[in-house]
Amino acid sequence: MLYNTSPDTAFTPTTQIDPLGYGKVAIVTGCGSGIGLATAQLLLAHQFRVCGLDAREFDYNLLRVEDHGRFHFTQGDLTRPGACEEGVRVCVAAFGARVDVLVNVAGVMDGFASADSVTDEVWDRVLAVNLTVPVRMMRGVIPFMTGVAGGRDGVIVNVASTAGVSGAVAGVAYTASKHGLIGATKNVAWRFRNEGIRCNAVLPGAVESSIGKTIAGGLDEVGFEQVKPVHALQARPTDGAPIITAMEVAKTIVFLISDQARTINGVSLPVDKAWGVV
């Protein structure tokens, strides 16, 4: 019941409307699992309308039923020419000519291959998914954050990695792609700082996520042996499992989206329990 029947009684809602996402639209790539799914779930809980993009089918059972009406999913390969722009167009068609938030999560691991063994196929695939797609997505949403939408303080969060600042945790393709994504983040932050757009990156450590199961080109045993000692520093000493959850990363992303982070722009924020200081 929205209003009391008696005009003499003040109406007190049982739940307050969340001001963070009310009336706002967010796009999340890689929304089907891991950090992307956790981010979509958390944004919906904050009353955002969310457009999710993923190459695989989406399981709506992973969302609360009451959130289904504010979630629009599009399946497709974002590396395909025009696919990123199409994803933005679908979002605008679904929720109107505004995009307040973009979270670039979709990514693929390399097989830990080094510069002397990486194939052209793996290099092209990893750079396309991890760097080219985020840049194309940013290119697609910026007009709706600065022009058509009237400059509504847009926020972009790119999910990079500890591999974006270290050369000792992944193969050469993944490392290069995440270093590049941090550079793109800084460039967008500076270029559009006066247009009301903030652009930041998060740098997760080892997270239990589907990206670890999506390895381009298969595992390079020689390269992997070189990074194993570094990865052991991030895992739990008892069972070797990652100690960071996807939801913990998602909460950091939502913080960067919030007004509490209004003066934070162009940063690369580690979410790695001090792994990156090694």
Side-chain angles (χ1 to χ4, degrees), residues 142-213:
I142 283 172
F144 294 98
M145 292 181 173
T146 60
V148 178
R152 291 190 175 95
D153 296 326
V155 182
I156 299 169
V157 180
N158 293 317
V159 177
S161 166
T162 301
V165 293
S166 170
V169 300
V172 66
Y174 189 80
T175 299
S177 71
K178 294 303 185 178
H179 273 72
L181 184 56
I182 289 174
T185 298
K186 292 178 179 179
N187 180 268
V188 170
W190 179 256
R191 166 63 181 82
F192 295 98
R193 70 196 187 285
N194 293 326
E195 280 88 340
I197 293 178
R198 292 189 295 111
C199 185
N200 295 297
V202 293
L203 280 57
V207 178
E208 183 57 43
S209 172
S210 63
I211 188 173
K213 304 178 181 68

Side-chain angles (χ1 to χ4, degrees), residues 187-267:
N187 180 268
V188 170
W190 179 256
R191 166 63 181 82
F192 295 98
R193 70 196 187 285
N194 293 326
E195 280 88 340
I197 293 178
R198 292 189 295 111
C199 185
N200 295 297
V202 293
L203 280 57
V207 178
E208 183 57 43
S209 172
S210 63
I211 188 173
K213 304 178 181 68
T214 309
I215 297 178
L219 184 66
D220 184 297
E221 296 287 353
V222 176
F224 184 62
E225 284 300 318
Q226 295 299 314
V227 303
K228 277 179 66 175
V230 182
H231 279 255
L233 298 174
Q234 172 77 112
R236 289 196 299 257
T238 52
D239 57 9
I243 57 176
I244 301 167
T245 67
M247 186 55 74
E248 287 172 324
V249 180
K251 288 179 179 179
T252 305
I253 291 170
V254 171
F255 163 71
L256 289 173
I257 291 169
S258 74
D259 284 347
Q260 297 177 62
R262 283 185 64 85
T263 57
I264 300 177
N265 194 13
V267 306

Side-chain angles (χ1 to χ4, degrees), residues 53 78-89 132-133 136-137:
L53 307 176
L78 291 176
T79 65
R80 181 176 51 82
C84 293
E85 293 79 4
E86 178 64 18
V88 175
R89 285 195 294 270
T132 303
V133 164
R136 287 176 178 172
M137 289 299 305

